[in-house]
Amino acid sequence: MTQEEGATALPGAGVAVPETLAFGSGHLVLDALTGAPLQFVDEQDRDRRFLLEPGATVWHSVEHQWGSGHLVTDRGGARWHTPVELRAADGVVEAVHRPLPGVDVEVRRAVRGDLLHERYSVVNTGQEPLTISGLGIQTPFADLYDGAERSLGRAVHAHVFTGGTWAWVLAQPMSGEGRCLGLIVREGALRAYSVESRNQYSQSDARGHLVLLVTDQARNPQAFGGQPVLRLAPGESVTMAWELGWYPSVADFTAATRPPAVLSAYAAETGQPITVEASAVSSPDPGVTVEHDADGRHRVRASRHGTYTLDVGDGARTEVLFHLPLDEVVRRRVAYITRYQRARERPGLLAHAFVPVDTRTGLTQATNGWSDWTDGSERIAMPLLLQAAAAHGLADPEEIDPLLDGWSRFARRHLLDETAAPRRGSQNWHTGPRLYDTPWLAHFFHDRHRAHGRPEDLDFAARIIERSFELGGATHLSIGLSPTTLAVCDSLDTAGQEDRAERMRGQLVDSARQFVRMGRRLPAHEVAYEQSIVAPLLDLLVDAHTLTGDPAFHDAVAERLPWLLAFGGPQPHVRLHGIAIRHWDGYWFGAHRLWGDVFPHYWSTLTATTLLRLPATLRTAGTDRLAEAILRANMANYHEDGSATCAFVLPSTVDGRPAHTADPLANDQDWHLVLWLRAQGPRL
């Protein structure tokens, strides 16, 4: 934020607004009525849509046009869109809005060199001081899932970092290929962002409208480490200015942001340091200690598990995480699950289920006919975690095994039908088989076989996978299907069932060949296109390459790897760095029923485990570092007492509702711990 006197009028007023303004080797299309951008066009990729277009969706309404915005003040709240004055001359466009009496919003757009510069100034033209507690600018990036082929060819991921004076947005092609459109704040500060148009009507295939916030103090004063109140004397103004340009790569863009700090990591174990190279580092959190060196290096530590705000340099802000060791978090989660997340009150085998729990009260969550609160599906992570913990020596088998034996009988009776097809839950059988659940159930019974050597458990695990292929699993990118199938096949070989194992391996390879032929034409799953489709696709192709040595599979992995990496951005923030965008699970899985970006979401761990399974020719030190960062970042979803959150909804507000909060339901987040333990391999 800067405060300045008034604004300068543009000479040559009255000239018609041009249809386009060229910058770099691209241009923006302007609205003749408002002078605002309707679209950014990359001349090297003219089909790519960087902004939502009118008519593209029913919820993309006129007030969400780029550069529109809102104010909350002590004189009232208002939005701006259509200017009261509009001027254009010599490649410069100026608009003046008057959303409230005595308040002007002046917008200036100009091209300088290869960059488009935008400047937004709120001017107190009244005779009394003005207090601003809300100020946001609309940036409707086309972060939209319209099926894999169209998304990869036309849409972008919007990677947002509202780090105060260190703030930017990177609009990256979903394919991970081609030029990015980058927005970098050069004057003022962005301290938060919000999401609008996220509700049951826009559903899961759209991220909604992103609003960049100078402050959101009126609606969520504690968000992102705290939101300020802005005070303007008569004649004073507050200004936000940024530049937009085209960048050939993510690395080129991040270099252009001129980072005021370099962090050695964004997460570390409690007591271990994170080194920050910056002019100054401090934290408003009393649990953080900072040791300063004369050479500009700062060692940051915290002894308690949790995320912490860091203030860096002159007005920059980010967040880091200090977490308990993996083994300790697993022990505490196992203890919490066994105490709070069992359905003891139910009759018969139903009492052996593991269910969500409201961490505020300790009450288990009834299904209520809601598929994502069942005692099956994603809740299968809990018995898998207990089983993995026992195998890794992190839980007492004598205490855990009776619970798993009960769950095994419950699952056979209530989560699988007589054909070994999966049910969504014991009370959701009517929804039909859910292919996603097959590898999870198969993995559980295979783990039971490995623990006890019972041939019936291995046979049942194999039957579940075979049934998955019968139900169409060869064209469904079920999470974990390929690695689970290969593990079961290896056990079948040991048991003397080589022919059965070879048939299953052959089905995997045939499935991989089919997906290679499909190219970008991936089938829609529960979401039309998402990271948890691409990661299982890469796992399948990696395993097919391992089984056959066919270079076509290696090439297919190399071609699709950028699709996976593009879901995560380079933000210097523990909840964001490399974490795949996922923006619907607060609604489906949480108690608050809150749509909006969930960071970190546990399925972001799929990116990490997939990177760790890459062929040696594609795996690098950089992909290994990214995998570790993702695995550590997800520790933010657990608390010291062993409780957890299924969704931290990051935006300051979602459709005006306060967010930036952890949902109180512990539900499905334990997949992160399961996957991390699996990535480490067996310890016994």
Side-chain angles (χ1 to χ4, degrees), residues 449-489:
H449 168 72
R450 292 178 63 183
H452 298 287
R454 292 190 293 255
E456 60 268 28
D457 285 329
L458 174 59
D459 178 69
F460 199 49
R463 282 177 56 204
I464 292 169
I465 292 173
E466 290 164 342
R467 184 63 176 138
S468 174
F469 281 111
E470 291 171 1
L471 292 170
T475 56
H476 187 275
L477 293 165
S478 305
I479 295 166
L481 178 60
S482 180
T484 299
T485 300
L486 292 187
V488 171
C489 287

Side-chain angles (χ1 to χ4, degrees), residues 546-566:
T546 300
L547 289 171
T548 67
D550 189 337
F553 291 128
H554 181 281
D555 294 345
V557 173
E559 179 183 351
R560 290 156 180 77
L561 182 58
W563 305 357
L564 179 65
L565 295 175

